[in-house]
Amino acid sequence: MFEVRLDDVHQRAATGVLPPDLLVDDLIRDAHRRYATDDEGVVADYIPILGRAEPSDFGLALVDVAGHAHEAGDVQRRFSLQSVSKAFVFALACERIGHAAVHANVGVNNTGLPFNSVIALELNDGSPMNPMVNAGAIATTAMIPAGSAEARWDIVLDGLSAFAGRELALDEEVYESESVTNHRNRAIAALLQSYGRLDEDPLESVDVYTRQCSLAVTAHDLAVMGATLADGGVNPVTGHRVVAADVARDTLAVLATTGMYETSGEWLYEIGLPAKSGVSGGIVAIAPGKGAVGAYSPRLDAAGNSVRGQRACAHLSRSLGLNLFASVARDEREEIG
Ligand code: GLN
């Protein structure tokens, strides 16, 4: 019989290492410099307060699994977490109710449609399809077991703070601005309820979801949160385990197929990393076993992904050898457009 020794398996599960710290510092600064004057894309304003973001802001951070930060630009600028929260709340839900329950109730396939699509629900018998679109995220948040919406919010806030390694706080202005304009999300929640896919009160479920989207974070925070997934669920800065290793792995699998909305395929093709973006301009891209990049720049493409953030991640994926599908670390191809 063919014998597999555990040591061998662990060695083969390794995905390689980052270059030395000083080189990572240089490459982050280089990626920042390259795209700092790129002014393609538009700042989102369908949530009115997001339109007040400074378009030229640009922060780029990489936190590795040793907990070291490598940064350039506006890495301490605060912005709201928005859809990036979906990735981490999904992990918190999986941790509490298990991989199979989330799969059965929410799904893990790409809708191929925008994040706030109502048609996607109608076309799929009310199934949200995945936890990274609004319908799936509202359903996922509502599945976290708790006695009340307030208790559920406490779990979400504590969990997201553990990912970030600091106590996160609500940006009250964003919460207010989104709460008075989120008619579409309320319609999505009502539709979920009509299909029997939401056990909790729809308005309360949207409210907890809106709060998670309104948490104030920085590009540095995103990198720490992502590095926790890269490190098998242990926050490499605080040393605390936030979720189990298999939950971190499952979260990354979902991010690879759905994290960048309907352009997740193009992202994976060019960059080769699980990632999640948010409409305020944040992106977290995770290199399992190595670390994560947190990017912030508020000008977005048509799908709602930060233009500079995507370009910087594409460049870093190549210069740092992060692409999960590459059998050779360096890729000298031209930049993507
Ligand atoms: N809170 C936003 C919404 O529900 C999040 C969307 C996003 O970041 N793509 O529309």
Side-chain angles (χ1 to χ4, degrees), residues 17-105:
V17 291
L18 288 169
D21 275 2
L22 288 177
L23 183 54
V24 179
D25 287 339
D26 272 357
L27 292 171
I28 292 283
R29 282 194 291 264
D30 176 49
H32 186 272
R33 211 168 17 242
R34 270 171 191 260
Y35 302 104
T37 54
D38 186 332
D39 59 7
E40 229 181 283
V42 285
V43 175
D45 60 4
Y46 75 97
I47 300 170
I49 199 168
L50 297 186
R52 300 218 310 245
E54 172 52 55
S56 63
D57 279 352
F58 184 27
L60 204 53
L62 184 150
V63 170
D64 61 32
V65 291
H68 300 156
H70 311 270
E71 307 187 319
D74 306 311
V75 290
Q76 293 302 340
R77 180 80 73 246
R78 303 248 160 156
F79 56 95
S80 51
L81 189 54
Q82 298 298 341
S83 276
V84 180
S85 67
K86 293 168 178 162
F88 299 95
V89 172
F90 170 74
L92 297 175
C94 277
E95 180 79 9
R96 281 162 182 78
I97 63 172
H99 158 120
V102 183
H103 186 187
N105 296 338

Side-chain angles (χ1 to χ4, degrees), residues 145 155 182 336:
I155 294 171
N182 62 3
I336 56 165

Side-chain angles (χ1 to χ4, degrees), residues 75-143:
V75 290
Q76 293 302 340
R77 180 80 73 246
R78 303 248 160 156
F79 56 95
S80 51
L81 189 54
Q82 298 298 341
S83 276
V84 180
S85 67
K86 293 168 178 162
F88 299 95
V89 172
F90 170 74
L92 297 175
C94 277
E95 180 79 9
R96 281 162 182 78
I97 63 172
H99 158 120
V102 183
H103 186 187
N105 296 338
V106 180
V108 293
N109 284 320
N110 201 311
T111 63
L113 289 164
F115 61 84
N116 57 1
S117 175
V118 173
I119 292 177
L121 275 175
E122 292 284 39
L123 290 177
N124 293 288
D125 194 29
S127 165
M129 299 289 284
N130 76 67
M132 301 303 145
V133 292
N134 290 10
I138 294 165
T140 302
T141 300
M143 274 163 55

